[in-house]
Amino acid sequence: MTDFHRIKRLPPYVFEQVNRIKAAARANGADIIDLGMGNPDLPAPRHVIEKLVETAGKPRTDRYSASKGIGGLRRAQAGYYERRFGVKLDPDTQVVATLGSKEGFANMAQAITGPGDVVLVPNPSYPIHAFGFLMAGGAIRSVPAEPTPAFFPALERAVVHSIPKPIAVVVCYPSNPTAYVASLDFYKDLVAFAKKHELIVLSDLAYAEVYFDGEPPPSVLQVPGAVDVTVEFTSMSKTYSMAGWRMGFAVGNERLLAALARVKSYLDYGAYTPVQVAATAALNGPDDCIVEMRDIYRRRRDALVDSFGRAGWPIPTPSASMFAWVPIPEPFRGLGSLEFSKLLVEKADVAVAPGIGFGEHGDDYVRIAIVENEQRIRQAARNIRRFLETADKTLHNVVPLAARR
Ligand SMILES: Cc1ncc(COP(=O)(O)O)c(C=O)c1O
């Protein structure tokens, strides 16, 4: 059997390699502190779980639901956008519920991508931002991830030199993996650029509510006229710690959302109705659970920056997201992020995500997720301190020369 066309576009997940070593270490009894995957460890809010339980078993709730989401859920999402961003959305035409934002993003890529269409994707980025388009038969061109003024000349160069002309640009702020945040002024320039070059803007706002300092992250749709070119994705996974429930949203441009809804109508019948009813309750408030979530991650962020810094590994302080994007300590930089991450599991009992898993420009970094409690984070720092103190010996004894870059 020859290789499958689509599967050739999906190399094995880099993170799997670290996961295998992690599983082997655990099987040998090691207590691995897992700061690798961005899997929220907090429980969903009590009142949301109660709503789910109350709804399950009611008449008609076991039937197929609505692919683009029940009306009440779409109205609740429109309500959230109005409260939080001052953005008015028509729940019938400008909101689609998705089976997690990742599914929504991937199916949007399916909906809009023709063979060989070029899409501008930040590097490093969350893998689906690139692979959604590669799976759909498109091609990607990397652009910088950092939302600085240098971003636009790079974007302009990418537009001018892409053949064919790109159809879309992806942005994600607060960003996974880099924790970069963007200002509304940046989005104003982005929308103007997109309109000038006839680009679709796909904004992943999964971390809209996970911020610690400064202003809450804005939405691209706050820019007047952005809705002409923009679809934005949000998620219940991080805001309400409901990652396993698979509930997210796409909102914005009607024509793009109609295309997404069409693809989804062939693929799914919507989430289990009680999940949608409970998600509606979450979005309609109260919001104290969001404040609590933020406080917990902020304390963990502070513990990470403080304890790792004192252990000899300075952490750039993330102001939002669930991640720190951290340069590999100097003595180990030559190893590359995958070998370094494997070494951390084996020698320090700490798992992190290798930056290379997010793109070639990530290889000098690892991503540290604050998904363990403060005590475990401080324990990780103690392990790291011992690891760094023996760096010379480790490099000399353990790492075969061949593994060094
Ligand atoms: C930037 C970003 N987008 C989307 C997702 C996936 O979210 P969901 O659970 O809504 O599919 C994640 C999860 O880690 C993420 O980091």
Side-chain angles (χ1 to χ4, degrees):
M1 217 183 289
T2 53
D3 285 351
F4 302 119
H5 171 81
R6 216 172 289 280
I7 299 305
K8 275 194 289 190
R9 277 152 185 74
L10 296 175
Y13 237 35
V14 169
F15 309 115
E16 262 317 299
Q17 299 192 40
V18 180
N19 285 345
R20 267 201 301 275
I21 292 188
K22 195 170 71 187
R26 279 185 172 148
N28 283 333
D31 174 21
I32 304 293
I33 301 170
D34 194 353
L35 310 176
M37 195 176 167
N39 196 351
D41 62 318
L42 306 178
R46 199 69 250 157
H47 70 282
V48 179
I49 295 172
E50 277 161 12
K51 191 52 130 182
L52 173 78
V53 172
E54 180 192 314
T55 314
K58 280 200 171 162
R60 294 193 300 278
T61 55
D62 294 320
R63 304 166 73 168
Y64 293 127
S65 190
S67 165
K68 69 176 203 175
I70 57 177
L73 177 61
R74 283 182 281 112
R75 283 193 293 280
Q77 173 70 352
Y80 164 71
Y81 257 76
E82 179 145 25
R83 271 195 324 277
R84 169 70 165 78
F85 301 113
V87 170
K88 273 199 186 335
L89 296 168
D90 179 341
D92 286 330
T93 56
Q94 295 181 316
V95 179
V96 169
T98 59
L99 306 174
S101 63
K102 193 177 182 181
E103 178 270 328
F105 191 93
N107 278 325
M108 179 58 83
Q110 289 293 336
I112 65 174
T113 310
D117 276 350
V118 176
V119 176
L120 307 177
V121 179
N123 190 323
S125 72
Y126 182 58
I128 198 67
H129 295 161
F131 287 101
F133 292 100
L134 290 168
M135 260 192 285
I140 54 161
R141 176 159 178 137
S142 294
V143 293
E146 202 166 2
T148 61
F151 179 86
F152 289 102
L155 210 60
E156 178 108 37
R157 205 165 49 244
V159 169
V160 170
H161 294 288
S162 291
I163 300 173
K165 203 170 91 50
I167 61 163
V169 55
V170 177
V171 289
C172 174
Y173 305 109
S175 167
N176 176 8
T178 58
Y180 296 145
V181 292
S183 65
L184 191 53
D185 281 342
F186 174 83
Y187 285 153
K188 282 183 187 151
D189 292 345
L190 179 70
V191 169
F193 184 95
K195 288 193 169 187
K196 179 172 163 208
H197 294 283
E198 297 181 336
L199 292 172
I200 295 163
V201 175
L202 298 177
S203 163
D204 184 341
L205 192 52
Y207 297 96
E209 301 305 331
V210 192
Y211 59 88
F212 314 120
D213 319 301
E215 295 290 305
S219 154
V220 178
L221 291 166
Q222 284 172 251
V223 178
V227 76
D228 300 340
V229 292
T230 304
V231 167
E232 192 160 73
F233 298 86
T234 59
S235 172
M236 308 290 290
S237 297
K238 321 291 157 141
T239 306
Y240 298 98
S241 306
M242 288 165 61
W245 296 48
R246 311 311 301 130
M247 184 53 63
F249 297 91
V251 306
N253 181 269
E254 289 185 19
R255 198 167 151 243
L256 291 166
L257 288 178
L260 172 63
R262 175 85 65 89
V263 168
K264 283 176 64 60
S265 73
Y266 277 82
L267 292 174
D268 71 70
Y269 291 107
Y272 176 47
T273 299
V275 165
Q276 296 193 52
V277 172
T280 306
L283 285 167
N284 286 337
D287 282 351
D288 346 357
C289 52
I290 303 181
V291 176
E292 278 167 33
M293 170 277 294
R294 226 177 260 141
D295 286 346
I296 290 171
Y297 285 123
R298 183 190 292 105
R299 283 199 298 272
R300 289 179 180 182
R301 189 268 319 249
D302 292 343
L304 176 76
V305 171
D306 171 59
S307 64
F308 276 52
R310 282 193 287 114
W313 191 6
I315 305 286
T317 308
S319 67
S321 87
M322 286 167 36
F323 310 108
W325 183 241
V326 190
I328 297 172
E330 186 51 54
F332 297 96
R333 210 159 285 171
L335 292 178
S337 59
L338 181 56
E339 290 308 317
F340 175 69
S341 301
K342 289 181 185 170
L343 207 57
L344 266 195
V345 175
E346 285 169 351
K347 301 286 168 196
D349 291 346
V350 174
V352 298
I356 188 73
F358 304 96
E360 64 179 288
H361 295 291
D363 204 19
D364 289 336
Y365 294 79
V366 294
R367 189 196 70 179
I368 301 181
I370 41 180
V371 290
E372 294 241 29
N373 66 35
E374 287 165 66
Q375 193 199 337
R376 299 273 291 165
I377 288 171
R378 290 187 187 281
Q379 179 60 50
R382 284 191 287 276
N383 297 1
I384 297 277
R385 175 193 289 278
R386 276 194 300 277
F387 171 75
L388 291 177
E389 279 166 0
T390 54
D392 283 350
K393 203 162 129 228
T394 306
L395 275 168
H396 185 75
N397 290 341
V398 177
V399 183
L401 269 179
R404 304 189 191 188
R405 286 191 305 185

